[in-house]
Amino acid sequence: MVETVEQKISPQEVGPKPFKGAFTMDPDNLDSELSKIPLFMTQLPEEENDTLSALQSLVFDGTPEEVAQNFKEQGNDCFRAGKIKYKDAITFYTKAIDTECKDQKIIEACLVNRAACNLELQNYGRVLSDCSKCLAINPQNVKALYRSAKALFALDRLIEAIDCCDHALVVDPENKAIQDVKEKAVSRKNIQEEKKRQREEKERREREKKDILENAFKEKKITIQVEDEEIREKANIDYDFETKTINWPVFFLYPEYKESDYIQSFNETHTFQDHLEIMFEQSAPWDTKKEYTASSVEVFFEDTRGLSPKLIKIGKKLSLGKILSLDQYVIKNGIPSFIIIPKNSPFKQEFIEKYKK
């Protein structure tokens, strides 16, 4: 038996191979091939190219007006291509503006179009610069007024933005886009003015309250020593206009356990007993010995006027205002503080001994 050997030919290999001339482009690398042709180049080649040089010379061939018009149209094409081409559009508009073109309408159009590109790119200073130059040529250019208003609005220069809108609406009263910008600018301006009014009113009340408190301190012979301005400013000392009394922030200190309680509003007419009863209505978590009750504790403060501090015991039924008016009591940074110790505890004797040295 004779075996026959057959060569398998794929369908692609059937027939003559297609002719590939010198200028035939590879369809699989079309972008790369096109980039070699001057008309489709996206960047200049490093080596000299006579064809490219000839094409470039054509761009500047003609009158300045024709050259400027050509650049303007190329800029328009780039602008229509979207944000990815805005910078290229700016380059073409700039080239048009930099020609010796005497046709101010072309220059006006390029300025306002370049402003449109920069507006999209959020280069607001350049928008205002180009629109200003455009309006110097044509004060009634609505696009320049509109883009100026948009840039000014973005920069929060609302009065100027509204003014631009007003000028534009004189020329084009029915322009919805300009009406919208003005409405937004007026709304934001009103909000800002209301916030400013509220802020100024708050500052006025704060100044008034501060003056009243200072006078009350003098009248009640209260001494405040400021060692930390920040703490003093944050100390929420409140004047009650109805009762003409002061509400103080107060610290109760428990040195035995290195704990403390902060009373946000201790009216000067209230007694220490009033707050101790509330404070120790339930045992504190740290009071493991159950020694701290309203009836079993004593209240002290430090007299810091001399070279060494002294411990002063005060009656729990005395009011806060009475204690703060004492010559011995100096309020540090606007927050009075008092030491709370159980009267029959071993810690009391140990603590008091420190002040006798």
Side-chain angles (χ1 to χ4, degrees):
M1 182 176 180
V2 179
E3 294 183 358
T4 303
V5 178
E6 295 181 356
Q7 183 178 4
K8 293 184 179 180
I9 302 175
S10 64
Q12 290 83 355
E13 295 176 345
V14 175
K17 293 184 179 180
F19 173 74
K20 190 172 183 180
F23 298 101
T24 303
M25 288 184 285
D26 181 358
D28 295 329
N29 296 290
L30 190 58
D31 289 342
S32 176
E33 296 284 346
L34 284 172
S35 68
K36 298 175 184 177
I37 301 174
L39 184 61
F40 299 101
M41 283 183 177
T42 57
Q43 59 184 17
L44 295 176
E46 294 181 1
E47 68 276 3
E48 292 186 8
N49 187 309
D50 293 337
T51 305
L52 180 61
S53 299
L55 286 172
Q56 284 182 311
S57 67
L58 289 176
V59 173
F60 295 94
D61 191 23
T63 66
E65 287 70 28
E66 290 171 337
V67 173
Q69 179 65 24
N70 180 40
F71 280 132
K72 187 192 89 168
E73 289 173 359
Q74 291 183 73
N76 291 347
D77 289 340
C78 288
F79 183 77
R80 283 191 287 268
K83 192 170 184 177
I84 194 172
K85 288 289 186 178
Y86 285 164
K87 290 184 178 179
D88 292 336
I90 290 171
T91 299
F92 283 120
Y93 291 136
T94 301
K95 287 181 180 294
I97 293 165
D98 289 344
T99 63
E100 297 179 0
C101 175
K102 298 294 190 293
D103 188 340
Q104 292 299 289
K105 288 187 177 180
I106 295 176
I107 302 301
E108 177 187 346
C110 289
L111 285 166
V112 80
N113 289 351
R114 188 167 69 177
C117 296
N118 278 311
L119 185 62
E120 294 296 327
L121 296 173
Q122 299 182 358
N123 297 325
Y124 301 122
R126 294 177 183 177
V127 174
L128 295 176
S129 176
D130 278 348
C131 287
S132 176
K133 293 173 184 175
C134 178
L135 291 168
I137 298 171
N138 177 11
Q140 293 189 323
N141 189 305
V142 173
K143 289 182 179 179
L145 289 166
Y146 169 69
R147 286 161 192 165
S148 292
K150 291 267 287 184
L152 290 164
F153 179 80
L155 294 170
D156 219 28
R157 292 162 59 178
L158 303 177
I159 294 176
E160 295 168 271
I162 294 168
D163 184 61
C164 282
C165 290
D166 287 339
H167 279 80
L169 291 171
V170 170
V171 182
D172 187 1
E174 303 302 320
N175 192 306
K176 185 67 169 60
I178 296 171
Q179 290 173 354
D180 288 345
V181 174
K182 180 179 179 180
E183 184 179 338
K184 290 178 182 177
V186 169
S187 176
R188 184 187 288 183
K189 178 173 172 287
N190 290 339
I191 291 171
Q192 289 183 354
E193 287 177 347
E194 177 59 21
K195 286 183 178 179
K196 181 182 178 183
R197 187 196 66 77
Q198 292 177 359
R199 184 173 62 253
E200 289 176 346
E201 176 62 20
K202 181 181 178 181
E203 290 172 354
R204 185 194 64 77
R205 289 198 304 267
E206 289 295 328
R207 287 194 302 270
E208 181 182 351
K209 173 184 166 183
K210 186 176 181 179
D211 291 341
I212 290 173
L213 280 172
E214 291 296 333
N215 290 331
F217 296 157
K218 291 177 182 178
E219 182 182 331
K220 299 172 187 292
K221 298 180 180 179
I222 292 173
T223 304
I224 297 179
Q225 179 181 331
V226 179
E227 296 176 344
D228 189 316
E229 286 289 348
E230 186 176 353
I231 296 176
R232 173 64 186 89
E233 287 298 319
K234 290 181 179 179
N236 187 24
I237 307 171
D238 182 55
Y239 186 81
D240 189 325
F241 288 90
E242 186 176 342
T243 61
K244 296 183 179 180
T245 58
I246 302 173
N247 293 311
W248 293 89
V250 172
F251 271 118
F252 279 180
L253 308 176
Y254 312 107
E256 182 177 6
Y257 293 96
K258 295 182 174 60
E259 295 284 348
S260 65
D261 278 319
Y262 178 72
I263 302 169
Q264 191 170 356
S265 182
F266 193 141
N267 188 272
E268 64 177 339
T269 62
H270 294 174
T271 68
F272 289 88
Q273 186 69 28
D274 294 334
H275 283 275
L276 288 170
E277 287 176 357
I278 296 171
M279 200 70 66
F280 296 120
E281 187 175 359
Q282 293 182 341
S283 297
W286 43 263
D287 181 18
T288 55
K289 300 176 184 177
K290 308 299 181 185
E291 293 180 321
Y292 287 77
T293 65
S295 59
S296 66
V297 297
E298 294 178 332
V299 182
F300 301 83
F301 72 83
E302 282 187 338
D303 177 4
T304 57
R305 294 174 304 163
L307 294 175
S308 57
K310 297 178 182 178
L311 198 62
I312 309 295
K313 180 182 175 182
I314 58 176
K316 291 184 287 186
K317 293 185 178 181
L318 291 175
S319 68
L320 175 63
K322 184 74 174 178
I323 302 303
L324 298 185
S325 296
L326 295 174
D327 292 340
Q328 299 99 313
Y329 200 95
V330 177
I331 304 171
K332 291 187 178 181
N333 301 316
I335 305 178
S337 60
F338 298 91
I339 299 167
I340 312 296
I341 302 175
K343 56 186 173 183
N344 295 321
S345 72
F347 176 80
K348 174 188 172 182
Q349 296 304 320
E350 180 184 335
F351 187 77
I352 291 175
E353 285 298 321
K354 294 179 182 179
Y355 288 88
K356 293 180 179 179
K357 295 178 181 179

